[in-house]
Amino acid sequence: MSIKTTETETDFNVELPDERGHFGIFGGRFVSETLTAALDELQETYEKLREDPEFQAQFDSDLAHYVGRPSPLYLAERLTEDCGGAQIYLKREDLNHTGAHKINNTIGQALLAKFMGKKKIIAETGAGQHGVASATVAARFGLECKVFMGSTDIERQKLNVYRMKLLGAEVVSVESGTKTLKDAMNEAMRHWVTHVDDTFYIIGTAAGPHPYPMLVRDFQSVIGRETIRQCDAQIGRQPDAVVACVGGGSNAIGMFHPYIKHTDVAMYGVEAGGLGLHGDDHAAPLSKGKPGVLHGNRTYLMEDENGQIMGTHSISAGLDYPGVGPEHSWLKDVKRAQYVAATDDEAMDAFHKLTRLEGIMPALESSHAVAYAMKLAATMDKDQVIVVNLSGRGDKDIHTVAQLDGVTA
Amino acid sequence: MSRIKTTFEALKAQGKKALIPYITGGDPLKEATVPMMHALVDAGSDIIELGVPFSDPMADGPTIQLACERALEHGTSLRDVLAMVKEFRTTNTETPVVLMGYLNPVEAMGYQTFVDRAVEAGVDGVLMVDLPPEEACDVDSIFKDAGLDVVYLIAPTTTDKRIESIGKSGSGYVYYVSLKGVTGSKALDVDDVARNLERIRAHVTIPVGVGFGIQDGATAAKVAAISDGVIVGSALVNRIAANATNPKQAQAEVSDIIRSMRTAMDA
């Protein structure tokens, strides 16, 4: 079969995915039959609750009073001056409770779990941000929580592992495969299949089988919706470009999705360029990969010529994933968004620059977005505007940064 | 008529049930697989499910996952597994071989290329774990047009409506996953399986094989009594793992399990 590429004339007002979870040729539900009933149940529940005022009111209330939304839109004046071009605004997701955008989604899914009567939640995590956000909402809603995490990631994110334990979650070390995020996701799926009756699986990124990419996107879209309102109020117009880092792509799709119809706003997704796109040591499936099937959806993947999934490399555990959410694959193919990469070194430079110029210490994931925005700004006029989604704060990365800078903290 | 259909009909005529072992191609070594396939047949197997190793076998337990890792360690590819079937066919033209695995290696090869090579090698059917009928529509016909049977899974949680549609899409046999879990799980409740098989038989006319959680002759016999075939995987792969440095010993221990199951099932 030749899988047809998406047609060139795209109507960006059409709501995707379709009823079976497809974004063009991407997405879908490629899972073992053992998971189908659970996904059907989730989809049915979500489709009902999506329109349910009580559910939405509770979600909005928790976003306001528990997460601390709306997050500010902040003009980074000194960074802007330093780059010498477009004005750079930061959407401050780092100021959310637990320090990243992840909580928007975990609040939404924990509410779903509650409405479905499930008492246990499980989650996979890479950097530990989604694990912390899941453990947090588990505490908030009185749910039992297990977090699956690759043993490599446990080693490099000790602080978050301890945070999860303090919050009452059990952290399950995953020793299989590359011992990172993708393997944690495999293990979480396996656990879910076995305990599907009383367990809700909170997927942390806008990937996986339908309906996950859609519901994670919906919960994260609060980022873009707020940005649209704030741009109107603060700047009087919409930006020329929005920039976000892309691992699985949940913060990026949260920013991008509400902007898809605003076709005069350019969208840039920044993947982890690792040691550079010339070799294999990166995590940039949209830049260098090809379409394939992993974790329940068809999407761009890092794979070898035999279709085996490759190990990835990034300075930031949160971007260290060989796949990407299917909506990004679609946005790439229909050319609505551009996907670029920032290397480890560029991200480190951006981390230091933002810290020193603005007193804002970004997560290494978000540093990738900052790095590209700095480059982009320099090529633009001073009356133009870029909004960078600053998806998380950098406290969790201080040890990594110290190590890379040769400092013994 | 497909080799799978012929096999089930011949067994039925003898009043027997199919014994269907699973092994992962290239585990622990590429050259160990074809001799193991012949040993399986000699010990009384009727159909062989040959696993195509994949880096991320999401629906499998640790046993099959480690088998995949061992096979991938020395680069066993889909192309290699097809070569194994071709070699097996040089001396065995009767025992059906079903390739079982995940979609991505097939997608990477290209569906038409895969089908052409599979037919040429002497493959009889495919079971793609992460390809449910809804996603299979285009691919399904490419497989079937080439004469390959397409085996689908049915789970305890599968609704009657889906069973009906799977019954229509599937060919060769359907694979009933006997419990909620991954491969290599321990407990199988025979009464529960019997109840679900009744539900399945109301909609499915092709043979129903049962797998997951079958580890010994006694369970195999009980499952054989109520189904058309017994699928055994992790119990065999465990023996291969335990004797990873000694393929001869692995063959002997795997053959023992198959023989004891065969004897129990035919008794």
Side-chain angles (χ1 to χ4, degrees):
Chain A
M1 185 181 69
S2 65
I3 291 163
K4 290 178 214 81
T5 46
T6 321
E7 288 154 27
T8 43
E9 281 295 309
T10 310
D11 179 358
F12 292 114
N13 290 304
V14 174
E15 263 304 304
L16 290 179
D18 66 18
E19 73 283 4
R20 294 212 342 265
H22 295 109
F23 301 86
I25 63 162
F26 301 105
R29 190 190 278 176
F30 294 87
V31 294
S32 166
E33 183 62 24
T34 46
L35 277 176
T36 300
L39 291 166
D40 277 342
E41 185 196 7
L42 176 60
Q43 188 178 339
E44 249 171 63
T45 311
Y46 180 62
E47 271 163 12
K48 255 184 262 159
L49 292 178
R50 208 180 179 193
E51 315 293 336
D52 181 56
E54 193 196 330
F55 178 82
Q56 287 304 334
Q58 200 168 340
F59 181 51
D60 292 344
S61 165
D62 264 40
L63 287 184
H65 306 299
Y66 188 70
V67 177
R69 303 203 71 91
S71 67
L73 182 69
Y74 165 76
L75 172 61
E77 284 180 72
R78 298 191 67 217
L79 183 69
T80 297
E81 199 179 317
D82 188 80
C83 296
Q87 298 162 47
I88 301 174
Y89 281 80
L90 305 175
K91 177 62 175 162
R92 298 291 307 276
E93 292 298 300
D94 60 315
L95 293 177
N96 290 340
H97 179 42
T98 72
H101 71 289
K102 293 289 185 188
I103 190 98
N104 303 328
N105 168 50
T106 56
I107 285 278
Q109 290 199 49
L111 277 173
L112 274 179
K114 215 180 103 180
F115 273 73
M116 289 170 82
K118 311 256 174 175
K119 301 270 185 268
K120 297 177 183 174
I121 59 167
I122 55 166
E124 84 294 335
T125 198
Q129 290 304 98
H130 174 58
V132 168
S134 298
T136 300
V137 297
R140 157 83 180 79
F141 292 108
L143 303 165
E144 198 181 309
C145 178
K146 265 193 178 68
V147 179
F148 294 85
M149 190 168 184
S151 58
T152 304
D153 290 336
I154 287 182
E155 192 48 46
R156 56 181 172 176
Q157 299 288 344
K158 284 183 189 141
L159 192 63
N160 271 343
V161 172
Y162 187 52
R163 283 170 84 191
M164 288 184 263
K165 287 180 182 164
L166 286 174
L167 288 159
E170 181 192 342
V171 178
V172 183
S173 175
V174 176
E175 302 288 343
S176 59
T178 59
K179 304 176 176 63
T180 59
L181 179 57
K182 79 175 176 73
D183 309 287
M185 200 158 178
N186 291 333
E187 211 55 45
M189 284 280 182
R190 289 177 184 130
H191 182 92
W192 194 37
V193 168
T194 317
H195 302 88
V196 74
D197 293 331
D198 61 354
T199 302
F200 187 101
Y201 179 16
I202 300 191
I203 293 188
T205 195
H210 182 61
Y212 280 105
M214 174 178 77
L215 66 88
V216 174
R217 186 245 356 242
D218 289 353
F219 293 141
Q220 291 293 0
S221 288
V222 65
I223 301 172
R225 286 198 307 270
E226 278 178 14
T227 304
I228 290 173
R229 279 202 303 275
Q230 290 166 323
C231 283
D232 265 342
Q234 293 174 230
I235 317 171
R237 69 176 183 95
Q238 293 305 315
D240 298 281
V242 292
V243 180
C245 66
V246 179
S250 72
N251 89 80
I253 206 66
M255 176 60 88
F256 291 180
H257 185 74
Y259 273 110
I260 291 175
K261 293 175 199 168
H262 297 242
T263 47
D264 47 347
V265 178
M267 308 197 293
Y268 296 92
V270 188
E271 297 191 292
L275 304 181
L277 294 185
H278 50 274
D280 289 334
D281 294 319
H282 56 78
L286 288 164
S287 305
K288 296 290 280 184
K290 60 173 193 157
V293 174
L294 177 70
H295 289 151
N297 58 161
R298 179 175 280 123
T299 192
Y300 277 87
L301 299 175
M302 303 253 302
E303 58 175 72
D304 68 14
E305 72 277 11
N306 294 315
Q308 305 296 341
I309 307 306
M310 288 163 68
T312 50
H313 165 82
S314 171
I315 193 179
S316 88
L319 300 183
D320 221 344
Y321 180 65
V324 63
E327 195 164 355
H328 287 296
S329 294
W330 176 75
L331 287 170
K332 172 191 161 74
D333 273 19
V334 299
K335 300 189 168 61
R336 177 63 190 91
Q338 287 186 59
Y339 293 90
V340 295
T343 63
D344 287 351
D345 289 345
E346 289 170 327
M348 277 290 281
D349 287 347
F351 173 91
H352 285 301
K353 198 148 230 178
L354 193 65
T355 303
R356 295 299 276 268
L357 288 177
E358 299 287 349
I360 295 171
M361 204 175 279
L364 284 175
E365 290 77 14
S366 323
S367 300
H368 287 73
V370 175
Y372 185 74
M374 285 162 47
K375 265 203 256 181
L376 183 65
T379 68
M380 292 165 69
D381 295 335
K382 289 188 174 176
D383 59 353
Q384 290 187 292
V385 172
I386 298 174
V387 173
V388 181
N389 195 21
L390 201 73
S391 54
R393 69 176 183 225
D395 309 44
K396 68 180 174 63
D397 295 314
I398 288 175
H399 287 296
T400 310
V401 172
Q403 210 171 29
L404 288 165
D405 286 344
V407 178
T408 33
Chain B
M1 202 191 307
S2 87
R3 250 190 295 248
I4 295 175
K5 197 169 182 193
T6 313
T7 301
F8 274 106
E9 286 185 0
L11 285 165
K12 198 173 181 186
Q14 300 166 48
K16 288 167 138 191
K17 301 300 172 66
L19 179 53
I20 309 173
Y22 166 96
I23 56 168
T24 304
D27 170 30
L29 297 165
K30 287 182 197 175
E31 53 272 26
T33 300
V34 176
M36 182 65 88
M37 290 168 76
H38 288 302
L40 289 169
V41 175
D42 293 342
S45 303
D46 301 300
I47 296 171
I48 294 173
E49 286 183 355
L50 185 59
V52 179
F54 182 51
S55 52
D56 294 79
M58 215 170 70
D60 284 294
T63 301
I64 306 288
Q65 186 199 331
L66 288 169
C68 286
E69 285 180 18
R70 285 191 297 273
L72 289 173
E73 207 164 294
H74 46 81
T76 307
S77 63
L78 174 54
R79 195 185 287 251
D80 292 326
V81 175
L82 289 166
M84 291 168 195
V85 178
K86 195 168 180 179
E87 192 189 329
F88 174 74
R89 282 278 171 255
T90 57
T91 52
N92 182 321
T93 55
E94 286 175 3
T95 309
V97 176
V98 173
L99 291 192
M100 179 168 182
Y102 294 77
L103 194 58
N104 205 49
V106 174
E107 183 144 324
M109 181 178 275
Y111 290 100
Q112 196 58 56
T113 309
F114 164 72
V115 163
D116 293 345
R117 288 180 185 171
V119 169
E120 197 228 319
V123 170
D124 302 284
V126 289
L127 197 178
M128 296 285 117
V129 177
D130 54 354
L131 185 68
E134 291 87 350
E135 295 290 355
C137 25
D138 300 340
V139 181
D140 190 89
S141 59
I142 298 181
F143 290 156
K144 285 177 186 156
D145 289 351
L148 292 173
D149 281 320
V150 183
V151 179
Y152 287 110
L153 301 172
I154 291 178
T157 48
T158 306
T159 60
D160 288 4
K161 199 174 150 214
R162 280 182 64 80
I163 291 176
E164 198 181 339
S165 94
I166 292 168
K168 281 183 193 136
S169 310
S171 60
Y173 58 100
V174 295
Y175 184 138
Y176 175 63
V177 175
S178 63
L179 41 86
K180 288 176 196 168
V182 291
T183 51
S185 305
K186 288 247 153 30
L188 171 150
D189 179 343
V190 177
D191 293 337
D192 185 57
V193 172
R195 270 193 300 278
N196 273 304
L197 284 178
E198 207 173 302
R199 202 162 66 87
I200 293 167
R201 285 244 167 73
H203 304 286
V204 175
T205 52
I206 58 176
V208 184
V210 176
F212 281 40
I214 300 168
Q215 301 186 334
D216 52 38
T219 319
K222 282 184 202 157
V223 171
I226 53 175
S227 70
D228 303 300
V230 173
I231 302 162
V232 53
S234 294
L236 307 180
V237 174
N238 276 330
R239 300 328 306 154
I240 293 172
N243 298 289
T245 53
N246 188 348
K248 280 264 171 269
Q249 183 61 25
Q251 239 178 70
E253 293 187 19
V254 164
S255 297
D256 281 346
I257 296 175
I258 292 295
R259 263 193 299 271
S260 73
M261 288 187 168
R262 181 83 265 171
T263 310
M265 285 165 61
D266 292 351

